[in-house]
Each structure stands twice: as C-alpha cells, then as structure tokens.
C-alpha cells in the first residue's frame, strides 16, 4: 500500500535542503501546515456529517430532508454556518464569565485532540505516541469538564441539571470504553495506535476476526458506550428539549453554540474512527490470503479504507439514534453499571485467557 511517509519526507527535504531553512523554521512550518490540515479536515467532515445526519434522519422518518438550498440541499449546511457566524454573541447576566467562555473551548480542544490521533493512512499518523490509547482516553475526558462548566457557568437551572446528567453519563461510560480498548491492547500487545493497525495488516487479521467472540463483544460494547460518550441518541438525555430546553448549551449563541454543535458530530466521527482503528483494521485492507484478491484490495488507498469503514460505523450509530426512543437517566446508568460494565470485565478476562492459551484466530490457526 502507499506509504504517506514518502510525502512527509519529501516536504521535509524541500524545506531543509531546497529552501535551506533551519531546523526551527522547518519544524514551525510543518506544525502550521499540519494544524491547518487538521482544522480543514475537521470542518469538512463536520459539514458532511451534518448533511448525512439530516438525510438519514429524513429517510427513517419517511421525509426528504433539506432540498431547497443548493442541489439536493447540499448548500443548506453552508447557509447554516453563515447564519451562525453572523449571529450576535450575547452575555448572560449573573453568569460566571470565566467558566462560561472557557467551556466551549474545552469541548472543542478535547474533540480536536482526539481527532488528531486517528490514523488516516499508512504513515499518515498526525499524533502517534507509544501510549496513544492512554492519551486518547485522557484527552477525551476533558470534554466532560467543558459540558459541566457550561451548565454551571450559565447560571441557568436547566443548564445545570443538563450538565450534571451529561457529566455523570460520560464519566460512567468512559469505564466501558477504556476496558474495551484495554482488551484490544491485550490482544495486540501494543498501546501505540499505529502499532495496533499494523498488527491487523495480515490475512484475516482485523481484531474482530483475530479475537473472535471477545473482540466482537468488545466492539459492540464500545459502539454503545461511544454513542453515550458522544451524547447521541438514545443517550441524549442531557439535551432533552421537552425537559431542559436545549440542555447545557441553552445560554450559548453564535459560535459558542457552534463549538458544541461541531464537537457533537466530530465526536461521533472520532468514536467511529477509533472503533474502526482498533477493531476493524483502520486503514488496513481486507486480505484473505488469496494473492489476486489481496493485490486488488491493496491497490485501494488506505484513506479510502479508513473513511469507508468509519462511515459505515457512523451510519450504524445514526441508525441507532433514529430507531430507539430516548432513555431515562436511571435507565442510562443502569445499562452501564449493571450490564455494560460487568460485560466489559468479562470480555477483558476472556480476552486475557484467549491470548494466554493462544486461542486467537490467525491464517495458520
């Protein structure tokens, strides 16, 4: 498969050798370029996901969805972004100004931070540390602070109640997410995200195949817990309009609200991307040990594999949202603490036993 390190090495040599820049300026320019690429990809994916959500929602409700602005409604999202950018940003009386203005930035920082760990292609890892899985879970937990501080800083009783719901839900489901990721670490023996993907590049080596029953269960639990972590339906009780108006971001307007709106959809993509990376091979193609078939699969760029598998998971999570009714807070917590959490521990034990006794599936076993 194409190795993106060819491009990054060429760009580095262009700056150092051809342009004769020092190490400081070379690193600075490379960081700026990478940062702009992250923000551009973040914005474009948000537009695609919002449009996709509206069309999927319309399909499940036997409607058409946005069709008037642009061909087939493709410019509707751009019109909404423009409206959001020019809306007045008002201040809330008696609000804690520091917490009120800080909260949206914490949410977007956590979202962009976890987004930066996704491996798009072979050699196209933006952030790739040897404890990558640990850092992903650590950075994603910052989003809890952004949600809680938004409700507390708004000085609104509905926002406070929503923030408390959102915080307790996200903290609870982080445990199941972490245990599922630990199961994958046990199976691959790696915490580096690129290493986890590389461990899935052989024939029939995707983790849901290698780890068979424990890995499949871990994937399902991860998707359910990830949906709750992203505050998506049916776990969107923190934004229950009939009870809490708009939830923790009720008092936000303009881009303050826009940050929360962006983070919700990109968190959906991040959860799906991590599920794809850890359990579905990431950018690795589906190889089955047949030379001709594998050669054709390897011609497909890694970024196509990654985005294709990720959007399949995104569609499944959207399907869940528009199929099941919203749960009550006691049902949400009961699902985690009485079912998913014990199941995650069982999965962890089963995965450990399978690895210890060599009961994993390989092309030779």
């Amino acid at each position: 498969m194409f190795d993106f390190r060819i491009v990054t090495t060429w760009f580095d040599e262009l700056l150092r050798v051809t342009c004769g820049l020092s190490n400081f300026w070379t690193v600075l320019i490379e960081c700026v370029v990478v940062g702009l690429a992250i923000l551009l990809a973040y914005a474009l994916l948000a537009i695609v996901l919002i449009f996709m959500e509206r069309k999927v929602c319309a399909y499940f409700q036997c409607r058409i969805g946005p069709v008037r602005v642009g061909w087939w409604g493709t410019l509707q999202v751009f019109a909404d972004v423009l409206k959001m950018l020019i809306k007045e940003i008002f201040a809330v009386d008696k609000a804690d100004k520091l917490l009120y203005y800080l909260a949206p930035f914490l949410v977007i920082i956590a979202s962009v931070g976890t987004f930066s760990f996704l491996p798009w292609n072979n050699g196209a890892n933006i952030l790739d540390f040897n404890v990558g899985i640990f850092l992903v879970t650590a950075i994603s937990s910052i989003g809890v602070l952004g949600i809680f501080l938004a409700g507390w800083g708004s000085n609104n009783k509905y926002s406070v109640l929503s923030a408390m719901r959102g915080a307790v839900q996200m903290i609870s489901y982080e445990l199941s997410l972490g245990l599922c990721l630990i199961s994958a670490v046990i199976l691959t023996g790696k915490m580096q995200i690129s290493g986890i993907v590389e461990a899935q590049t052989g024939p029939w080596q995707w983790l849901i195949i290698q780890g068979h029953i424990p890995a499949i269960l871990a994937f399902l639990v991860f998707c359910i817990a990830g949906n709750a972590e992203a505050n998506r339906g049916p776990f969107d009780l923190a934004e229950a309009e009939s009870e809490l108006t708009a939830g923790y971001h009720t008092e936000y307007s303009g881009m303050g609200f826009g940050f929360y709106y962006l983070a919700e959809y990109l968190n959906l993509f991040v959860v799906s991307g991590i599920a794809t990376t850890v359990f579905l091979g990431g950018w690795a193609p589906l190889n089955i040990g047949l030379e001709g078939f594998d050669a054709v699969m390897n011609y497909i760029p890694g970024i196509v594999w990654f985005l294709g598998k990720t959007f399949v998971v995104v569609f499944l999570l959207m399907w869940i949202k528009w199929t099941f009714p919203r749960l009550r807070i006691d049902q949400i917590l009961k699902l985690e603490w009485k079912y998913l959490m014990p199941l995650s521990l069982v999965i962890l034990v089963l995965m450990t036993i399978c690895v210890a006794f060599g009961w994993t599936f390989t092309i030779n076993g």
Side-chain angles (χ1 to χ4, degrees):
M1 296 191 69
F2 176 74
D3 191 340
F4 198 78
R5 281 183 286 262
I6 297 173
V7 177
T8 56
T9 303
W10 167 82
F11 186 68
D12 184 73
E13 291 178 351
L14 175 67
L15 296 176
R16 294 179 185 273
V17 180
T18 306
C19 298
L21 298 179
S22 64
N23 183 67
F24 172 79
W25 289 107
T26 299
V27 173
L28 178 62
I29 292 174
E30 289 173 350
C31 289
V32 170
V33 171
V34 170
L36 291 175
I38 292 174
L39 295 178
L40 179 61
Y42 193 90
L44 291 177
L45 283 171
I47 291 171
V48 172
L49 288 168
I50 293 171
F51 182 76
M52 179 179 175
E53 173 89 289
R54 289 173 171 176
K55 287 297 184 180
V56 170
C57 168
Y59 176 78
F60 278 100
Q61 297 177 354
C62 298
R63 298 186 290 106
I64 300 176
V67 293
R68 297 191 177 185
V69 184
W71 178 79
W72 207 51
T74 50
L75 298 180
Q76 181 64 57
V77 180
F78 293 94
D80 293 339
V81 170
L82 178 62
K83 181 186 72 172
M84 193 175 298
L85 287 172
I86 62 177
K87 286 191 70 173
E88 178 185 2
I89 300 178
F90 56 81
V92 180
D93 291 338
K94 299 181 181 179
D96 188 319
K97 294 295 191 295
L98 175 62
L99 301 183
Y100 178 80
Y101 289 113
L102 177 64
F105 289 98
L106 291 178
V107 170
I108 208 71
I109 287 171
S111 181
V112 174
T114 51
F115 179 76
S116 302
F117 278 89
L118 296 179
W120 298 86
N121 195 83
N122 183 20
N125 305 76
I126 298 170
L127 295 179
D128 188 29
F129 298 97
N130 58 350
V131 288
I133 290 295
F134 172 77
L135 285 176
V136 166
T137 56
I139 294 175
S140 64
S141 63
I142 298 176
V144 180
L145 294 176
I147 288 177
F148 188 76
L149 294 181
W152 186 265
S154 296
N155 194 31
N156 180 305
K157 60 183 179 181
Y158 298 112
S159 297
V160 172
L161 181 58
S162 169
M164 293 174 66
R165 287 181 176 182
V168 71
Q169 173 182 314
M170 294 176 71
I171 292 172
S172 299
Y173 279 88
E174 279 180 356
L175 298 174
S176 292
L177 283 174
L179 290 173
C180 292
L181 293 177
I182 292 174
S183 299
V185 170
I186 290 175
L187 180 57
T188 60
K190 303 176 186 295
M191 290 188 68
Q192 190 168 0
I193 292 179
S194 62
I196 292 176
V197 177
E198 289 169 0
Q200 305 176 67
T201 54
W204 300 110
Q205 292 299 291
W206 291 2
L207 252 59
I208 58 170
I209 301 175
Q210 282 191 60
H212 45 83
I213 295 175
I216 293 173
L217 292 176
F219 173 71
L220 295 176
V221 172
F222 184 90
C223 289
I224 296 172
N227 221 15
E229 183 76 7
N231 277 318
R232 301 273 305 171
F235 303 97
D236 57 340
L237 195 65
E239 302 175 25
E241 295 86 356
S242 58
E243 306 170 27
L244 305 172
T245 57
Y248 49 85
H249 48 63
T250 297
E251 302 293 349
Y252 285 90
S253 66
M255 284 311 298
F257 169 78
F259 281 169
Y260 285 103
Y261 197 59
L262 282 174
E264 177 183 341
Y265 283 97
L266 264 298
N267 287 342
L268 170 65
F269 183 84
V270 168
V271 168
S272 303
I274 294 175
T276 296
T277 299
V278 174
F279 297 102
L280 303 179
W283 49 259
L286 176 61
N287 291 335
I288 61 175
L290 297 177
E291 185 175 349
F293 179 85
D294 291 351
V296 174
M297 294 297 102
N298 290 335
Y299 274 117
I300 301 175
I303 189 171
V304 175
W305 278 106
F306 176 76
L307 289 176
K309 288 183 279 188
T310 300
F311 273 103
V312 168
V313 179
V314 167
F315 174 75
L316 291 176
L317 297 183
M318 287 183 178
W319 190 348
I320 291 173
K321 174 177 181 178
W322 298 108
T323 301
F324 293 98
R326 180 181 291 136
L327 301 177
R328 298 195 311 266
I329 186 63
D330 61 311
Q331 293 172 329
I332 290 176
L333 298 180
K334 181 179 179 180
L335 174 64
E336 165 62 14
W337 291 105
K338 294 188 68 174
Y339 298 102
L340 294 187
M341 180 68 175
L343 179 58
S344 300
L345 292 172
V346 171
I347 292 169
L348 187 63
V349 173
L350 287 177
M351 186 67 76
T352 304
I353 293 173
C354 288
V355 172
F357 288 92
W359 294 342
T360 56
F361 177 82
T362 64
I363 191 64
N364 297 318

